[in-house]
Amino acid sequence: MGGGAETSVEFVNLRSRSVIIYWLDHRGQRRQYAVLRPDASHRQHTFVGHPWVVTDGRGRALVCFEPTRTPARAVIR
């Protein structure tokens, strides 16, 4: 899980409840970065190869995302 080029991800929450955005560190541990309310978005600076996971309020994973060189949008439904 090395770090590559700088990039960004815009996380967009289209769910009816808040979600939590975590970066998975080099040991695979979750590091919380943001809580997104419904219909909210959050732009996150990151690096290619750094994985992100989005969970519900109970910690259940909804989606995982690995950034690419091109800034991206991750829509959570």
Side-chain angles (χ1 to χ4, degrees), residues 7-14 19 21 34 36 39-47 52 54 63 65-77:
T7 190
S8 66
V9 178
E10 179 185 12
F11 293 95
V12 180
N13 182 13
L14 297 184
V19 297
I21 300 171
L36 278 185
D39 297 317
S41 65
H42 171 75
R43 183 170 301 281
Q44 180 63 54
H45 176 266
T46 188
F47 296 89
W52 294 83
V54 179
V63 66
F65 187 80
E66 186 172 328
T68 60
R69 288 185 178 271
T70 305
R73 195 168 197 229
V75 179
I76 301 104
R77 298 180 192 274

Side-chain angles (χ1 to χ4, degrees), residues 18-22 30 53-63:
S18 293
V19 297
I20 305 167
I21 300 171
Y22 296 92
R30 292 178 180 179
V53 64
V54 179
T55 71
D56 63 14
R58 295 182 183 159
R60 292 181 292 199
L62 301 171
V63 66

Side-chain angles (χ1 to χ4, degrees), residues 24-44:
L24 295 180
D25 70 16
H26 302 291
R27 290 188 226 150
Q29 298 298 308
R30 292 178 180 179
R31 304 292 179 203
Q32 184 176 321
Y33 270 70
V35 176
L36 278 185
R37 293 182 301 236
D39 297 317
S41 65
H42 171 75
R43 183 170 301 281
Q44 180 63 54

